């Protein structure tokens, strides 16, 4: 074999090896899923029983669970009632209008 053919074969082997290594590293990276246990919704049964971390700081958080705490911003943005009192008032208004 002449020198250019040998260099071509070696270069091809190195390229294939590098591509295989890159694919292997990419697949390994995809399998690494980092989650934070306190906000992972797969553990929602745990956070649905724990009291909100802000319950002692914010009156609106009293009686809420960690899961409720996570959804509270969405409730506020959509105008859902925040307290049992507000729910009762809405129910009374609803029965008064019918």
């Amino acid at each position: 074999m002449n020198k250019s053919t040998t260099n071509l074969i070696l270069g091809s082997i190195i390229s294939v090896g590098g591509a295989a290594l890159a694919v292997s590293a990419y697949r390994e990276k995809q399998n690494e899923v980092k989650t934070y246990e306190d906000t992972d919704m797969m553990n929602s049964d745990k956070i649905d029983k724990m009291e909100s971390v802000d319950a002692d700081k914010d009156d609106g958080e009293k009686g809420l669970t960690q899961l409720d705490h996570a959804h509270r911003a969405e409730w506020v943005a959509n105008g859902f009632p925040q307290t049992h009192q507000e729910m009762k008032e809405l129910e009374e208004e609803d029965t008064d209008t019918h």
Side-chain angles (χ1 to χ4, degrees):
M1 274 197 213
N2 66 18
K3 191 173 182 177
S4 64
T5 305
T6 305
N7 287 340
L8 179 66
I9 291 172
L10 281 174
S12 298
I13 291 172
I14 291 172
S15 295
V16 169
L21 187 62
V23 167
S24 173
Y26 176 76
R27 286 184 180 161
E28 192 172 310
K29 182 76 172 173
Q30 292 299 315
N31 290 335
E32 291 179 19
V33 177
K34 294 181 181 180
T35 58
Y36 297 104
E37 190 172 327
D38 60 340
T39 58
D40 182 14
M41 297 313 271
M42 290 172 32
N43 295 325
S44 63
D45 60 326
K46 292 178 187 174
I47 65 172
D48 199 22
K49 294 176 183 158
M50 293 174 22
E51 186 179 21
S52 171
V53 293
D54 292 334
D56 57 341
K57 301 171 195 157
D58 184 5
D59 288 337
E61 294 279 329
K62 287 186 177 156
L64 296 183
T65 63
Q66 284 285 65
L67 186 61
D68 294 337
H69 170 77
H71 294 292
R72 184 169 185 242
E74 187 176 334
W75 297 343
V76 171
N78 290 323
F80 290 115
Q82 298 299 304
T83 63
H84 291 291
Q85 182 63 33
E86 288 180 19
M87 288 174 57
K88 288 178 186 175
E89 290 171 2
L90 285 174
E91 287 174 3
E92 289 172 3
E93 287 176 15
D94 200 27
T95 57
D96 291 342
T97 58
H98 291 315

